[in-house]
């Protein structure tokens, strides 16, 4: 398919391999310490960048302030450093960039891509809408034509079309999603004044020149709406690679919410080797038991994203 054909079909060419010069990132949310699932995502993104002679950036995604735990960002940075991760440039912190997100929202307002919404969650639920791909309720479009009865706006929503957005994921393969049916119009500025993750991540990736995103598959279903938002803002679309997430015995994603324990950097090469094995790269015993420097040299030289399993989640044995 040519680039012109892709543009006409709504297909994003994310599966064509990393671009040169490669610029990737790891963007943890500081809602708690780094756990094994986060370490897997950090390792996959880091190795893909370094194996492609690229840059690897660190971004702290604390735009959702109510979920931010004090001191967690510093703890994550120290943990990464002790494991031997080395990022390029300064660490970007989302909570310091609210004016930047405001400017992006204003542009969308001027272009008519967003609209004010007065609906509460209870009002949305009263319409008995279907569940979206990520578990929320699909917005029924109540305020699309304007606020009713002089009600005050609670939030701002992005208009999502009844259209399929398709892209090729470097791990998971061809993906497609009808935005209006699978998600419905999404919030970009919440009722509590917090900017939504979807707006912040799109704006920041473009501002940092990120052209290769490697992250957990829990964000796979968010990618089509991010691609649409990139188009509406006139921003480039990175390549995407979504790694399987680590699950517990109950099949739940390993996270702070499921009480995942913090990783211990003292475990060094052994724990990094376990994370790399999870990503389809068994590590020789002498590397797993050796110094960090030997692990990193072996891992970068051995990395191939083609070996990462195209699965949604895996529970370590």
């Amino acid at each position: 398919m040519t680039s012109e054909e892709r543009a006409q079909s709504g297909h994003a060419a994310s599966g064509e391999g990393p671009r040169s010069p490669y610029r990737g990132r790891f963007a943890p949310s500081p809602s708690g310490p780094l756990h094994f699932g986060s370490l897997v995502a950090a390792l996959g993104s880091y190795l893909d960048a370094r194996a492609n002679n690229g840059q690897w950036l660190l971004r702290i995604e604390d735009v959702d302030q109510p979920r931010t735990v004090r001191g967690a960002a510093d703890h994550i940075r120290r943990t990464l450093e002790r494991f031997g991760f080395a990022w390029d440039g300064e660490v970007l912190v989302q909570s310091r960039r609210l004016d930047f997100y405001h400017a992006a929202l204003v542009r969308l307002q001027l272009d008519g891509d967003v609209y004010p919404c007065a609906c509460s969650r209870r009002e949305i639920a009263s319409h008995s809408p279907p569940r979206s791909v990520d578990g929320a309720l699909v917005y029924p479009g109540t305020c699309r034509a304007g606020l009713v009865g002089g009600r005050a706006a609670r939030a701002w929503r992005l208009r999502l079309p009844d259209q399929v957005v398709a892209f090729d994921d470097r791990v998971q393969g061809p993906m497609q999603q009808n935005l209006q049916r699978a998600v419905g119009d999404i919030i970009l500025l919440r009722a509590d004044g917090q900017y939504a993750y979807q707006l912040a991540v799109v704006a920041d990736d473009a501002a940092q020149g990120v052209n290769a995103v490697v992250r957990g598959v829990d964000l796979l279903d968010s990618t089509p709406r991010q691609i649409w938002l990139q188009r509406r803002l006139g921003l480039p679309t990175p390549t995407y690679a979504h790694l399987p997430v680590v699950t517990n015995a109950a099949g739940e994603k390993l996270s702070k919410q499921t009480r995942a324990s913090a990783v211990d950097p003292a475990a060094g090469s052994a724990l990094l080797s376990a994370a790399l094995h999870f990503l389809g790269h068994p590590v020789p015993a002498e590397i797993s038991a050796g110094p960090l420097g030997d692990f990193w040299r072996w891992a970068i030289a051995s990395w191939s994203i083609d070996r990462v399993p195209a699965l949604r989640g895996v529970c370590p044995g």
Side-chain angles (χ1 to χ4, degrees):
M1 184 181 290
T2 66
S3 59
E4 183 177 355
E5 289 170 334
R6 289 181 186 277
Q8 292 174 351
S9 68
H11 193 108
S14 293
E16 296 179 344
R19 299 166 186 171
S20 183
Y22 185 113
R23 196 166 169 88
R25 48 78 164 176
F26 176 55
S29 171
S31 54
L34 204 71
H35 55 74
F36 185 70
S38 304
L39 184 66
V40 167
L43 182 64
S45 64
Y46 187 83
L47 292 178
D48 201 57
R50 297 310 190 207
N52 286 286
N53 299 311
Q55 292 185 314
W56 188 74
L57 313 177
L58 178 61
R59 180 165 75 224
I60 300 298
E61 294 197 333
D62 63 345
V63 70
D64 190 351
Q65 281 293 293
R67 293 184 62 242
T68 297
V69 174
R70 186 174 181 178
D74 288 338
H75 187 276
I76 289 171
R77 283 193 290 257
R78 290 194 302 269
T79 300
L80 291 171
E81 287 175 338
R82 290 183 61 193
F83 272 115
F85 290 89
W87 51 86
D88 296 290
E90 296 183 1
V91 178
L92 185 146
V93 179
Q94 286 187 332
S95 58
R96 302 171 186 168
R97 295 172 54 77
L98 301 185
D99 288 346
F100 187 72
Y101 309 140
H102 175 72
L105 181 65
V106 168
R107 175 172 176 176
L108 293 167
Q109 289 171 333
L110 293 175
D111 289 343
D113 288 319
V114 296
Y115 61 90
C117 178
C119 298
S120 66
R121 291 182 180 179
R122 179 177 296 179
E123 288 170 328
I124 294 171
S126 70
H127 289 81
S128 300
R131 291 281 176 182
S132 70
V133 291
D134 45 15
L137 296 175
V138 173
Y139 182 64
T142 309
C143 296
R144 252 194 171 220
L147 298 176
V148 179
R151 296 184 64 189
R154 292 169 50 86
W156 283 84
R157 289 186 181 272
L158 174 69
R159 298 179 189 275
L160 291 178
D162 187 5
Q163 174 181 326
V164 171
V165 169
F167 69 101
D168 295 325
D169 191 86
R170 293 173 56 215
V171 172
Q172 304 295 333
M175 296 288 153
Q176 63 177 22
Q177 183 185 99
N178 182 296
L179 297 173
Q180 187 56 233
R181 299 176 191 176
V183 183
D185 297 344
I186 60 170
I187 288 177
L188 297 186
L189 181 63
R190 299 181 346 197
D192 61 0
Q194 302 286 311
Y195 288 97
Y197 160 78
Q198 307 293 353
L199 178 63
V201 70
V202 164
D204 287 338
D205 279 344
Q208 291 188 286
V210 170
N211 57 14
V213 173
V214 179
R215 60 188 181 185
V217 78
D218 54 312
L219 292 168
L220 180 64
D221 290 330
S222 288
T223 303
R225 72 195 83 164
Q226 291 174 14
I227 291 173
W228 181 256
L229 189 50
Q230 289 157 2
R231 293 174 182 170
R232 301 314 303 160
L233 287 168
L235 303 176
T237 294
T239 64
Y240 288 99
H242 286 87
L243 311 174
V245 297
V246 183
T247 63
N248 59 23
E252 302 168 317
K253 175 197 168 190
L254 207 63
S255 68
K256 287 93 173 177
Q257 288 71 36
T258 55
R259 299 182 180 179
S261 57
V263 293
D264 182 2
S269 297
L271 192 57
L272 289 169
S273 296
L276 191 50
H277 187 276
F278 178 88
L279 292 173
H281 295 67
V283 181
E286 65 273 18
I287 298 297
S288 178
L292 281 173
D294 289 351
F295 169 83
W296 285 115
R297 282 187 289 272
W298 184 91
I300 292 170
S302 303
W303 174 257
S304 171
I305 204 159
D306 293 335
R307 295 168 62 182
V308 177
L311 301 172
R312 286 270 179 159
V314 178
C315 180

